[in-house]
Amino acid sequence: ETGDRSFSFYRNHTADVMLSPEEVNRGMIDDCRIFHFGSVSMTAEPSRSATFAAAEYAREKGKLISYDPNLRLNLWESAALAKEWILKGVVYANILKLSEEELVFLTGCTDFKQGAQELLDRYENLKVVLISLGGDGALALNRECTVSMTAYPVKVADTTAAGDSFMGGFLYKMLHASASPESLSQQELLDCLSFANATGSMTTTRKGSIHALPTMEEILQLMNS
């Protein structure tokens, strides 16, 4: 009724978990500005090793690295193992995106701003932490400032891909900012967050994932309304 969704996974020995470190296309990483990864590929070998090999290569090449843990506990042997490996991924991240559930899971902190600040203090590689709060909006922090905003009012049909499109929107807008992530001013950080919120909000108005992604025109129309 609220447009929320649940997942069932059928992936024993499927292609996504069988990717090996040797199969990682490093040429794609050479050509990118941002390397983005998540934790679903960490739930089994050899894809776990491939994920970290790719992240390590991106770091060696000085790429901006973004990370969305995208917690799916039913893919892990235990919650403890999930937390252990997900936190190992944070070591590589410059931009970290978490849901409220993931923030509590990783930090034990129910104060979103405090939990995000704890992560910034703990991991010197982090430049920006994003906390998506569903219908309540989102929060963004770097070492200079904190911004937050409510979600755009839309009629939700399906929340699938909302977090992914939110992250994509933020990264897109950030690439067009004049400053590096850690140097974004309060207004620049807010502009990135507003664009991300609009992108995520628009995605929820249609069912599905890829074909639910909004156009630039739709995003700007929502922001201007």
Side-chain angles (χ1 to χ4, degrees):
E1 294 178 359
T2 61
D4 207 355
R5 72 282 183 269
S6 60
F7 296 100
S8 297
F9 294 96
Y10 302 89
R11 62 200 293 265
N12 289 340
H13 303 293
T14 52
D16 62 320
V17 298
M18 298 307 292
L19 182 72
S20 69
E22 296 74 28
E23 292 173 310
V24 172
N25 186 340
R26 288 163 173 78
M28 291 182 68
I29 300 175
D30 290 333
D31 293 337
C32 79
R33 295 176 66 186
I34 296 177
F35 173 78
H36 178 76
F37 73 112
S39 75
V40 171
S41 58
M42 298 178 191
T43 57
E45 289 288 6
S47 61
R48 179 185 299 159
S49 294
T51 300
F52 282 101
E56 181 63 40
Y57 184 79
R59 182 166 65 176
E60 290 172 0
K61 293 296 182 177
K63 303 299 182 180
L64 191 64
I65 300 177
S66 66
Y67 179 41
D68 179 358
N70 201 18
L71 179 65
R72 299 287 180 262
L73 277 176
N74 57 342
L75 291 178
W76 294 89
E77 293 179 19
S78 67
L81 192 66
K83 184 174 181 179
E84 175 188 348
W85 283 104
I86 287 173
L87 287 176
K88 288 181 179 180
V90 178
V91 173
Y92 292 90
N94 305 128
I95 302 167
L96 174 65
K97 182 261 177 193
L98 299 170
S99 67
E100 49 190 309
E101 174 196 7
E102 290 160 352
L103 179 71
V104 174
F105 177 75
L106 294 179
T107 68
C109 188
T110 55
D111 182 307
F112 304 135
K113 183 178 178 181
Q114 180 183 334
Q117 188 62 55
E118 285 181 9
L119 290 169
L120 279 172
D121 293 341
R122 189 188 315 170
Y123 298 94
E124 61 181 21
N125 50 286
L126 283 178
K127 311 299 182 186
V128 175
V129 176
L130 304 169
I131 310 296
S132 59
L133 304 172
D136 293 327
L139 183 73
L141 296 84
N142 62 13
R143 299 185 191 280
E144 301 297 324
C145 54
T146 302
V147 296
S148 63
M149 65 176 299
T150 58
Y152 284 90
V154 295
K155 185 175 181 180
V156 176
D158 180 5
T159 59
T160 305
D164 293 324
S165 60
F166 169 90
M167 187 65 169
F170 185 89
L171 295 176
Y172 171 84
K173 192 69 174 177
M174 188 196 65
L175 284 178
H176 291 78
S178 59
S180 57
E182 66 270 25
S183 302
L184 290 173
S185 67
Q186 187 171 25
Q187 186 58 54
E188 287 172 321
L189 194 59
L190 186 61
D191 288 344
C192 292
L193 187 65
S194 178
F195 188 87
N197 254 2
T199 308
S201 295
M202 278 301 304
T203 301
T204 70
T205 63
R206 292 187 282 262
K207 291 186 177 182
S209 53
I210 297 298
H211 63 275
L213 299 178
T215 64
M216 177 66 75
E217 182 180 3
E218 288 173 325
I219 295 169
L220 296 179
Q221 184 176 8
L222 178 62
M223 294 177 72
N224 292 332
S225 68

